[in-house]
Amino acid sequence: MTENTQQQTAPTTELPTQYAPAEVEGPLYQRWVERGYFEADAKSEKPPYTIVIPPPNVTGSLHLGHAFEHTLIDALTRRKRMQGFETLWQPGMDHAGIATQNVVERELAKEGKSRHDLGREAFVERVWQWKAESGGQISGQMKRLGDGVAWSRERFTMDEGLSQAVQTIFKKLYDDELIYRAERIINWCPRCLTAISDIEVEYQDDDGELVSIRYGEGDDSLVVATTRAETMLGDTAVAVHPDDERYKHLIGRQIKLPLTDRTIPVVADTHVDPEFGTGAVKVTPAHDPNDFEIGQRHNLPNLAVMDERAIITAHGPFQGLDRLEARSAIVAALRADGRIVAEKRPYTHSVGHCSRCKTTIEPRLSMQWWVKVGPLAQAAGDAVRDGKVKIHPQEMEKRYFDWVDNLHDWCISRQLWWGHRIPVWYGPNGEVVCVGPDEQPPTGEGWHQDTDVLDTWFSSGLWPFSTLGWPERTESLEKFYPNSVLVTGYDILFFWVARMMMFGLYAMDGTPPFHTIALHGMVRDQNGKKMSKSFGNVVNPLDWMDTYGSDAVRFTLARGANPGVDVPIGEDWVQASSKFANKIWNATRFALMNGATVEGPLPDASEMSATDRWILSRLNKTVAEVDAFYDDYQFSKLSDALYHFAWDEVFDWYVELSKTTFFAGGEGARVSGRVLGEVLDVMLRLLHPVVPFVTETLWTTLTGGESVVIADWPKDSGFRDAAAEQEIALVQRVITEVRRFRKEQGLQDAQKVPARLTLDGTTLAAHEAAIRQILRLQPEGEGFSATASLPVAGATVALDLSGTIDVEAERKRLAKDLAAAEKEKAQANGKLGNEAFLAKAPDNVVDKIRGRLAKADEDIARIKTQLATLPQA
C-alpha cells in the first residue's frame, strides 16, 4: 500500500478524551518553526516549489480574505513539501504608501500636528517607528492560522535589498526610455493630496445634478450639459461634430463664456457624439481626460481652476470656494443670468472615489512620472497566449487580455513622503539625472531630488524576484525563480498580477515570474453579500479561531474554494467543521484503543476480510482523486472528497462494520487493526495540508513519527478490489434500508428488535454479525413472529415488531398519510390533465407539478408497503 519512510518511534495510544485546539495549536506551531520545517535551502538538490505571499499591507490585520488565501497557499506548499520538493513559501509585507501615511497622519492629528510640522525626514522616521511598534501584528496572526512560511526570509518592500531592486529597475527602465515625465490628466485625491492610478479608483452611482447651460448669444449660441458646473471656469472651447449641420456655421468662431470676460472657440472634433444630448460639449482640458485629448488635437490652452485641495483658484467671485460650494454658487449665478436652460436633480451618475479615503476623485492636469507600458504589456499578454503562463481557471484569461491589451501608460509618481523616493535629481540649469543604486547623486548648489515617491504597486510588482535577492544573481534567485504558482484573488489581477508579469519578463530576460496564475474569488457572508464595515457583516477570523480552532476555519474556507468563484461563509459552517475535527479526534482515539496500528507490514490481501479490502480500495481511489483535485486547484472538491471518505466511509462504515471483528479478537482483529492503522495513517497525511494541527497530534500519536509536516505524501498503490466494493455496497444497502424502515416505524436507534436474516449465500452471510450489531437486531428466539419482512438486495430481513409499537395507532397514522398522498396525486393529475392549464402555465410550473406527482406516487408506494408489513390484529 502506501509507505512512510520517516523515522518512527514506538507509538503511544494515549490521547486526551477531548480535542482542545487552544491547547494544541500554539505549541505545535512553535515546534514546527524551531525545527526549521518551513525553511528553504537554495543548495538543496530537491526540485523547487515556490509561492510568494501576496504581501499584506503593514497597516493591516488578518481579515477573512487573508485567512482564505493563506489557507489555500499553505495547503499547496505543505503537500509539495511532503512530496519531496524544496518548498519555499516566501513571506513579507507591503509598505502600503497611501494607507500607511494616512494612519500615521491620523496619529499626528491626535497630537494637534501635521506631517508638515515634523518635516519630511522626521515624518518618515515617525512612520518607521510606527511600523516597528504596530506593523508586525499580522505575523502573529499568520502563525495562529498555521502558515508554513520561511520566516527567516521575511521581506518588506521598503527594506534595504528591495529598495535597491526598485532603484535598479527604475534606472534600467529610464535608460531604456520606458520611464518618462510628462504633464497629463491624472486621478487626483484632494484628501490624500496625491495622484492615484485608474485601478485605485472605485466607481459608484451618486446623486448629483445635470444642468444645461447656454453659451454665446442669439444665433451664435449653443447649449452644453454638465454635472460639474464649477469646471466651466476652465473651459477653453466648445466642441461639436464636424458633420453636425446644426453647428457648422459656428465652427471656428468665438463665443462668449458665461460669467467670465473670455471668449472661447467652437472646434470640430469627431470624438463628439452628435446624437448625445445637444451634440455640443464643453472642453476643459485641465480637468477632464477626454477634454485633454481634444485640447491636444486643437492646441487649446490648459487652464487649471482648482488647486490640490479642489479649491477654486480662478479669479472672480468664486475664488477660494470648495469645488462643491462653487458648483452651487455658479449654478445660482448662471440661473440669475438667464443661462440655465434645464436642470435635472437628482441625476444619478457614476462617480470615481479614492479607494483609500472614499473622497470624490478630481481629474487634474499634473506633471507626473509614467511607465510606457506598450512593449511591457505586449510581452505580458504574449506570455499567456504562448502558453508560458497558464491562468486558472482558463475562463479568466479573457479578463486578463482585456486589461493588458488595452493598458494605458502607468502613472507611477505619488505626492507622498512615505515610499520609495524617485531617484531623479534636478540641476540649477534644467539638468535631469537618474541615479542607479551604485551611483552617487550629483551635489552642489541648486541640485535637489524629486520630491515624489513611487506607486506602491511599482515595488510590489518586483516581489517574485526582488525577495530572492535580485539584482544580484543569488543562489536563491537561481533556485526558486520563477515561482511555481501565484495564488491570488481575481480582484487584483490588474493591480498586481499584470505588473509582476510586465516587470518579471523585463528584468529576468523574458522568463515570466510564475508558471501558473491560480485565481480565487472573494469571501462573502453566508448570504453571498460582500463583507463591509458599513454592512456590519465583517468577521474577524481570530474570533472564530478562538472559539472553534484554526483547523475548523481553514477547512471551512478550503471547502468553499471553487476556482475564480466567490466564497460564502457563515459561523454555522465553521461550527460544522469543528465537529469534523472532533470526529477525526474521537474516531482515531477509538481506533487506537481497539488495535489500530502501523507496526509491521500490511497483511496480504488473501488474509483480509472483504471489509478490509473494500476500505483499502476506497483509500487508494481517494488518494488518486485528491491528487487530481490538487493539481487542478479544486480545493472545494478535494476537501469534500476527504470529508466524505473520513466521516462516511472510514468512521461510519469501516469502523462500524469492523467492531464485531475487533471485539472478537484473534487473527481477524490483528489484520483489521493493521488495516485500520494504514487507513488512518494515509488519511491523516491526506488531511494534513488543510487541517494541520489536529492531524499532527493524531498522526504522531498513531505512528510515533517525528512530524506529519515532513512525512511522505501518500501515493496511490494501484490496489483496487471491485468485488469487495460491490460486496460492501450490498451490505450498506441492507443496513440503509432497514434503518429507514426502523425510523419510519418510530423505533429508537438503540431499541433492539428480534430479526431473522435470510442472506444471499456467503456474500452477505459473512457480514451477519456486523449487520445485526449495527441495526440492533437480536437473534430470533422462542415465539418469534415475523410481523414485517423486507426484501433487500437479494436478502430478506424479517422483523418481529410485536410489542415494540402500537400497531393500531401506527395503522391510523399511515392511513392518514396515505389519504393525503392520494389527494396530492389527484390534484396533480387534475392539473396535468387540463389542456387549458397546460397551454397557459409556464414550463417551470408544469415541471413542479410533475415533480409533486412523482413524489406522491413514491409516498403512496412506500406507505402501502409499511401498512402491509404491520402485524395483523
Side-chain angles (χ1 to χ4, degrees):
M1 307 312 297
T2 57
E3 185 176 341
N4 173 34
T5 59
Q6 187 182 174
Q7 182 67 36
Q8 296 178 347
T9 58
T12 174
T13 59
E14 294 180 7
L15 280 173
T17 55
Q18 290 186 320
Y19 178 49
E23 297 174 14
V24 169
E25 293 173 353
L28 271 187
Y29 189 86
Q30 188 60 34
R31 186 160 75 235
W32 292 335
V33 172
E34 289 172 353
R35 293 180 177 179
Y37 293 155
F38 305 139
E39 295 303 324
D41 182 4
K43 298 181 184 297
S44 169
E45 294 183 1
K46 295 178 183 178
Y49 186 81
T50 315
I51 296 180
V52 292
I53 195 171
N57 287 351
V58 69
T59 56
S61 59
L62 192 72
H63 58 62
L64 209 51
H66 287 127
F68 172 57
E69 188 166 77
H70 290 201
T71 294
L72 306 187
I73 297 174
D74 198 42
L76 290 174
T77 52
R78 283 179 183 269
R79 172 176 176 255
K80 284 297 182 180
R81 190 177 293 112
M82 295 171 76
Q83 285 183 316
F85 286 77
E86 192 61 33
T87 303
L88 169 61
W89 181 7
Q90 174 66 53
M93 284 183 282
D94 192 281
H95 67 279
I98 296 176
T100 304
Q101 181 156 317
N102 283 346
V103 168
V104 178
E105 286 196 80
R106 284 196 295 269
E107 292 297 313
L108 284 174
K110 294 175 184 176
E111 303 170 16
K113 297 178 181 177
S114 74
R115 61 182 164 120
H116 300 285
D117 294 324
L118 273 66
R120 185 168 192 145
E121 285 190 22
F123 176 77
V124 170
E125 183 57 37
R126 179 70 176 261
V127 180
W128 277 108
Q129 181 184 339
W130 175 87
K131 190 258 180 187
E133 293 172 355
S134 308
Q137 63 173 318
I138 201 164
S139 298
Q141 294 165 342
M142 288 168 60
K143 293 172 183 177
R144 280 289 310 278
L145 188 64
D147 288 1
V149 300
W151 286 112
S152 69
R153 292 172 172 265
E154 188 174 13
R155 303 304 298 267
F156 179 53
T157 49
M158 286 281 287
D159 69 27
E160 185 177 348
L162 268 66
S163 294
Q164 183 184 28
V166 167
Q167 195 172 352
T168 299
I169 201 162
F170 187 100
K171 171 71 171 173
K172 180 174 169 58
L173 288 162
Y174 183 87
D175 290 347
D176 287 346
E177 297 184 349
L178 292 173
I179 280 183
Y180 64 94
R181 193 168 185 243
E183 193 175 45
R184 300 271 185 86
I185 290 283
I186 46 88
N187 303 299
W188 182 266
C189 176
R191 158 63 185 79
C192 297
L193 299 180
T194 182
I196 63 173
S197 66
D198 291 344
I199 51 180
E200 291 172 301
V201 178
E202 293 179 348
Y203 287 90
Q204 66 183 49
D205 287 341
D206 287 357
D207 284 340
E209 61 180 344
L210 180 69
V211 293
S212 298
I213 310 167
R214 181 169 54 85
Y215 284 23
E217 304 293 344
D219 292 338
D220 289 347
S221 69
L222 38 67
V223 175
V224 300
T226 182
T227 58
R228 301 166 66 218
E230 68 280 7
T231 63
M232 68 160 293
L233 301 176
D235 286 357
T236 55
V238 172
V240 298
H241 194 277
D243 299 329
D244 194 331
E245 293 294 336
R246 294 170 294 176
Y247 305 120
K248 274 195 172 181
H249 68 289
L250 290 176
I251 295 172
R253 297 175 61 177
Q254 297 281 324
I255 61 171
K256 180 78 165 55
L257 179 65
L259 306 183
T260 72
D261 58 1
R262 292 192 293 119
T263 60
I264 57 176
V266 177
V267 299
D269 197 284
T270 54
H271 170 76
V272 179
D273 180 1
E275 303 298 322
F276 184 76
T278 64
V281 296
K282 59 191 287 301
V283 182
T284 322
H287 293 281
D288 184 274
N290 293 321
D291 293 2
F292 177 79
E293 297 296 331
I294 293 175
Q296 292 290 294
R297 289 193 288 272
H298 297 278
N299 297 314
L300 299 174
N302 301 316
L303 183 59
V305 295
M306 277 181 252
D307 68 9
E308 60 183 9
R309 298 182 185 275
I311 303 299
I312 301 298
T313 58
H315 294 298
F318 311 109
Q319 187 174 10
L321 294 180
D322 171 79
R323 56 182 167 168
L324 298 182
E325 295 173 330
R327 182 176 301 170
S328 299
I330 287 170
V331 170
L334 288 167
R335 191 183 299 114
D337 200 27
R339 293 285 175 175
I340 299 294
V341 175
E343 295 180 69
K344 186 175 181 180
R345 168 182 313 112
Y347 177 74
T348 303
H349 61 130
S350 182
V351 178
H353 296 260
C354 173
S355 62
R356 300 294 180 188
C357 69
K358 312 309 177 187
T359 300
T360 300
I361 289 301
E362 190 63 46
R364 183 169 188 252
L365 187 65
S366 180
M367 183 68 75
Q368 301 285 345
W369 286 94
W370 304 79
V371 171
K372 188 184 294 182
V373 299
L376 304 176
Q378 177 70 41
D382 289 346
V384 175
R385 270 185 281 266
D386 297 344
K388 290 181 182 177
V389 178
K390 297 187 182 303
I391 294 180
H392 190 279
Q394 191 173 1
E395 54 265 28
M396 286 285 180
E397 281 187 3
K398 183 180 184 303
R399 295 181 67 172
Y400 177 78
F401 291 136
D402 285 347
W403 180 255
V404 298
D405 292 347
N406 298 285
L407 204 55
H408 298 296
D409 284 1
W410 172 20
C411 176
I412 56 172
S413 46
R414 299 291 181 267
Q415 289 64 54
L416 303 171
W417 287 356
W418 172 245
H420 295 100
R421 190 93 170 259
I422 288 178
V424 171
W425 272 255
Y426 305 105
N429 299 310
E431 302 95 333
V432 179
V433 177
C434 180
V435 177
D438 299 322
E439 301 170 351
Q440 290 297 319
T443 57
E445 188 176 346
W447 283 94
H448 63 280
Q449 187 177 358
D450 196 299
T451 57
D452 288 351
V453 300
L454 287 163
D455 178 12
T456 297
W457 297 104
F458 191 93
S459 52
S460 59
L462 314 180
W463 193 248
F465 52 94
S466 63
T467 51
L468 297 172
W470 187 90
E472 302 297 324
R473 301 301 297 193
T474 63
E475 285 184 322
S476 289
L477 190 65
E478 296 291 340
K479 178 74 174 179
F480 296 113
Y481 187 90
N483 286 198
S484 306
V485 61
L486 173 74
V487 179
T488 192
Y490 64 71
D491 57 315
I492 57 173
L493 182 62
F494 316 131
F495 286 84
W496 189 43
V497 179
R499 281 151 173 67
M500 287 191 290
M501 286 286 283
M502 290 191 297
F503 281 167
L505 289 159
Y506 173 73
M508 298 300 293
D509 302 320
T511 302
F514 16 74
H515 298 300
T516 301
I517 302 167
L519 298 170
H520 58 72
M522 309 290 289
V523 178
R524 297 181 176 269
D525 71 12
Q526 60 190 8
N527 299 312
K529 195 173 185 179
K530 180 181 178 181
M531 288 192 174
S532 165
K533 289 179 181 178
S534 60
F535 296 153
N537 61 352
V538 173
V539 173
N540 182 348
L542 296 177
D543 293 339
W544 282 352
M545 287 184 218
D546 289 341
T547 305
Y548 303 108
S550 298
D551 282 335
V553 174
R554 289 170 61 112
F555 192 71
T556 304
L557 291 166
R559 205 171 177 194
N562 289 299
V565 178
D566 288 347
V567 183
I569 183 171
E571 186 169 2
D572 52 341
W573 303 340
V574 183
Q575 188 175 17
S577 295
S578 174
K579 289 178 180 176
F580 178 53
N582 286 322
K583 180 74 171 180
I584 299 170
W585 182 274
N586 293 331
T588 304
R589 185 172 178 273
F590 169 85
L592 288 169
M593 294 170 63
N594 287 275
T597 180
V598 296
E599 293 182 357
L602 196 64
D604 189 77
S606 62
E607 302 176 57
M608 299 178 191
S609 67
T611 309
D612 294 332
R613 298 194 305 277
W614 163 74
I615 197 62
L616 288 174
S617 183
R618 290 297 308 131
L619 173 69
N620 279 282
K621 282 185 177 179
T622 302
V623 171
E625 193 175 40
V626 168
D627 271 333
F629 287 143
Y630 261 117
D631 292 341
D632 198 35
Y633 305 100
Q634 298 279 358
F635 296 97
S636 178
K637 290 181 179 179
L638 73 88
S639 299
D640 259 353
L642 288 169
Y643 176 89
H644 290 296
F645 176 73
W647 194 307
D648 300 346
E649 297 187 299
V650 178
F651 302 144
D652 279 0
W653 284 111
Y654 180 73
V655 170
E656 291 300 316
L657 288 170
S658 301
K659 278 183 178 178
T660 53
T661 302
F662 287 128
F663 295 160
E667 183 62 14
R670 184 195 68 80
V671 171
S672 291
R674 181 62 188 87
V675 169
L676 181 53
E678 178 77 4
V679 170
L680 291 176
D681 172 18
V682 173
M683 183 192 76
L684 292 170
R685 283 187 274 150
L686 287 174
L687 280 165
H688 173 72
V690 181
V691 283
F693 294 106
V694 68
T695 52
E696 171 79 343
T697 305
L698 294 175
W699 187 86
T700 52
T701 302
L702 170 71
T703 67
E706 180 185 337
S707 173
V708 70
V709 177
I710 54 172
D712 292 336
W713 181 252
K715 294 179 181 177
D716 174 12
S717 70
F719 179 84
R720 302 288 190 275
D721 194 322
E725 292 200 39
Q726 291 174 359
E727 183 173 330
I728 299 305
L730 289 177
V731 174
Q732 291 172 325
R733 186 177 165 193
V734 170
I735 292 171
T736 300
E737 289 294 324
V738 176
R739 272 179 173 161
R740 184 168 63 184
F741 178 77
R742 285 177 59 110
K743 185 176 182 181
E744 289 169 349
Q745 299 303 318
L747 298 176
Q748 299 298 315
D749 289 343
Q751 192 170 350
K752 295 181 178 179
V753 179
R756 177 189 300 138
L757 273 62
T758 306
L759 302 174
D760 179 22
T762 57
T763 302
L764 287 172
H767 302 280
E768 179 169 352
I771 292 171
R772 284 187 177 277
Q773 176 164 319
I774 291 170
L775 292 172
R776 304 293 190 273
L777 301 180
Q778 293 178 314
E780 53 185 297
E782 231 178 282
F784 176 82
S785 174
T787 58
S789 183
L790 297 175
V792 185
T796 302
V797 180
L799 304 172
D800 184 354
L801 301 179
S802 56
T804 60
I805 60 173
D806 183 335
V807 176
E808 194 54 39
E810 185 64 13
R811 193 181 300 282
K812 287 180 180 179
R813 183 185 71 79
L814 289 171
K816 185 179 178 181
D817 289 349
L818 180 61
E822 287 174 336
K823 182 180 179 182
E824 175 74 4
K825 178 178 179 178
Q827 289 176 340
N829 273 327
K831 288 185 177 181
L832 293 174
N834 185 334
E835 294 296 333
F837 170 78
L838 292 176
K840 295 178 182 178
D843 290 345
N844 64 317
V845 173
V846 175
D847 288 343
K848 189 175 181 180
I849 293 171
R850 285 181 179 139
R852 283 168 49 194
L853 176 61
K855 175 70 166 53
D857 281 332
E858 245 180 67
D859 289 344
I860 290 168
R862 175 178 55 80
I863 294 167
K864 284 182 175 179
T865 301
Q866 289 176 250
L867 281 167
T869 58
L870 283 175
Q872 297 302 312

